[in-house]
Amino acid sequence: MSQTKPPRVRFAPSPTGYLHIGGARTALFNWLYARRTGGSFILRIEDTDQERSSESSYQAILDSMQWLGLTWDEGPAVGGPHGPYRQTERIALYREFAERLIATGKAYRCICTKEQLDVLRKESEARKRPFRYPGTCRNRRDIPADVPHAVRFITPTEGAIGFDDLVKGNISVQATEMQDEILLRSDGMPLYNFGAVVDDVTMGITLVARGDDHVINTPRQVLMYQALGYEVPRFAHLPMILGADKTRLSKRHGAVSVLQYRDEGYLPEALLNYLARLGWSSGDQEVFTIDELIQKFDWVDCGHNAGVFNPEKLRWVNAEHLKKRSPKEMGDLIEPRFRARGFDAGSRERLDSIAVLFRERARTLLELEESAAFLFKMPAYDPAGVAKFITPAIAPAMDELLALLPGVTPFNHDGIKPVFEGLLAKHNLKMVALAQACRVSISGTTVSPPIFEVMEILGKDETLARLKAGRAIIAV
């Protein structure tokens, strides 16, 4: 009894820029499927666009994938039995496969020049018809291999080319809508469709999952798989991700480099969680661990409609993941970011306490470190906060507070709270009046975590120094 082989899927970015949200989601869905099924996830780099490709973009893709935790089983820096995994290192292979198609009468050499083709394109434009290569060289057999030439694929002139998409269902295209595709340019570089097909068949790819902007390419590739004598893989085309205005996602919508999300303090598992929900669902659940995503993911649960990128929802998801981190994990996350700003949290216990206290109001690590910055360096006072809360009416209570706090031992929430409660009763004040006067004096603003916990973390000496500075503002 034969056993079905584990699936092999791939993610094939071009190093012409950073890894963006759409690419990261494609990589994620392929990775989740491979991990759930015990298959292999292959990373390969389609770098034949030499004018736009760069080593910095290549490295940024690897760094982004590694930060996200989307580890690959074969590919750059890992190796594997089907390498090399960069297209520019596989040029001889494309030539070999092109010659195989020529030899079997399924492709031909074409010596039409760009100038000749431009004339034909202009004629098509004048007739308001789409340009279709007329097959000038299709029946020629007199073009020697050593003459500069492109290689074109012989596309059927009738019939339909169809395939069953795991997301979109059955898709069919008439052959009359297609033309004889260029497989290799005259410089030997493969065009996208041919390079992808050769890589897929030689790497044993069994499922091709990518954005639905590639649907137009798939019928052409199906013909190439068949012409080469290989089994056609399954396909899954994922709906695009749009901005809030329902246009293609761009930087103005917040679609920046994956590494910028890292720098802005998002957790990789939170970003993956959010991306998974852009085009896939599992009931009403919104927050997932990576293990849950692996267990639940399947192509049948992918939606047909484009997802809309919502930065606010991403921040909410990130905040939910921050809440699940232990104190030690929070300290580990924030320590290098504090260090980069020159902040010294002191003991490990204090570092963890700061991280946990300030995450309650933070949606990202960047927000956390910015909101906690006043602990390390007193910021300027908020004029509106001073005018509203540090007033002559609060001066008597602040004076008594400054007299009582030195005797509080231990200097923590439980020790500080009774002092405040006594002063509120004595001076007939509401907590907001005294707490906000202290908060502005200590943090410079009217917003911070609970004031007793902030005072505890600051310590007695620093708390007293800041309260004295705040009290000095009152001209009485």
Side-chain angles (χ1 to χ4, degrees), residues 19-29 168 210-213 237-256 258 261 271-280 303-311 314:
L19 179 61
H20 53 77
I21 288 296
R25 188 191 64 170
T26 297
L28 169 63
F29 282 12
K168 293 181 172 294
R210 54 193 175 189
D212 64 6
D213 53 331
H237 289 91
L238 307 171
M240 300 297 287
I241 301 175
L242 305 178
D245 57 0
K246 304 301 176 66
T247 60
R248 189 182 181 96
L249 196 63
S250 65
K251 288 182 179 180
R252 74 176 186 277
H253 300 115
V256 294
V258 164
Y261 287 103
L271 183 56
L272 293 178
N273 181 167
Y274 179 72
L275 290 179
R277 291 290 288 111
L278 277 178
W280 171 87
H304 294 184
N305 299 322
V308 177
F309 183 75
N310 184 339
L314 171 58

Side-chain angles (χ1 to χ4, degrees), residues 188-439:
M189 284 293 178
L191 266 69
Y192 169 75
N193 284 324
F194 186 57
V197 166
V198 171
D199 290 343
D200 285 343
V201 299
T202 55
M203 293 180 184
I205 301 303
T206 61
L207 186 152
V208 175
R210 54 193 175 189
D212 64 6
D213 53 331
H214 284 289
V215 166
I216 191 174
N217 293 315
T218 303
R220 296 164 171 80
Q221 294 180 358
V222 166
L223 292 173
M224 294 177 194
Y225 288 116
Q226 294 170 340
L228 289 169
Y230 288 89
E231 184 177 351
V232 178
R234 293 183 297 165
F235 293 94
H237 289 91
L238 307 171
M240 300 297 287
I241 301 175
L242 305 178
D245 57 0
K246 304 301 176 66
T247 60
R248 189 182 181 96
L249 196 63
S250 65
K251 288 182 179 180
R252 74 176 186 277
H253 300 115
V256 294
S257 163
V258 164
L259 294 179
Q260 186 166 331
Y261 287 103
R262 176 198 64 186
D263 296 342
E264 291 180 357
Y266 290 87
L267 301 182
E269 63 269 29
L271 183 56
L272 293 178
N273 181 167
Y274 179 72
L275 290 179
R277 291 290 288 111
L278 277 178
W280 171 87
S281 63
S282 179
D284 295 328
Q285 186 173 350
E286 292 285 354
V287 180
F288 297 82
T289 65
I290 297 300
D291 285 342
E292 285 176 326
L293 289 175
I294 292 172
Q295 293 166 12
K296 295 174 181 291
F297 179 80
D298 202 348
W299 302 108
V300 297
D301 299 315
C302 292
H304 294 184
N305 299 322
V308 177
F309 183 75
N310 184 339
E312 281 300 311
K313 183 65 174 292
L314 171 58
R315 283 189 278 272
W316 177 83
V317 171
N318 197 68
E320 292 300 304
H321 279 271
L322 282 174
K323 292 173 184 176
K324 295 177 181 293
R325 292 300 189 107
S326 69
K328 182 182 183 304
E329 289 172 331
M330 285 302 304
D332 289 341
L333 287 169
I334 203 64
E335 190 277 332
R337 302 181 72 92
F338 277 174
R339 186 168 10 98
R341 286 176 174 255
F343 296 165
D344 181 4
S347 69
R348 177 65 202 221
E349 181 181 7
R350 185 169 185 262
L351 171 68
D352 295 351
S353 296
I354 292 171
V356 170
L357 179 61
F358 280 82
R359 79 172 167 191
E360 297 306 314
R361 293 175 175 269
R363 297 169 298 174
T364 68
L365 293 174
L366 178 60
E367 288 184 4
L368 193 158
E369 66 191 75
E370 289 178 342
S371 64
F374 74 84
L375 296 175
F376 307 97
K377 183 180 180 181
M378 181 63 188
Y381 290 116
D382 170 26
V386 170
K388 185 173 182 179
F389 295 108
I390 303 184
T391 64
I394 203 68
M398 288 191 72
D399 288 337
E400 288 196 48
L401 181 63
L402 286 166
L404 293 171
L405 286 180
V408 173
T409 304
F411 194 76
N412 57 21
H413 175 280
D414 292 341
I416 297 168
K417 183 179 179 182
V419 175
F420 269 71
E421 290 175 340
L423 290 173
L424 296 179
K426 180 178 179 180
H427 294 273
N428 193 27
L429 293 170
K430 292 183 178 181
M431 175 61 81
V432 65
L434 185 55
Q436 286 294 74
C438 292
R439 182 170 281 112

Side-chain angles (χ1 to χ4, degrees), residues 10-13 42-46 76 85 196 199-200 203 205:
R10 47 78 160 180
F11 176 54
I42 293 90
L43 175 65
R44 74 169 184 248
I45 305 297
E46 297 185 343
Y85 295 92
D199 290 343
D200 285 343
M203 293 180 184
I205 301 303

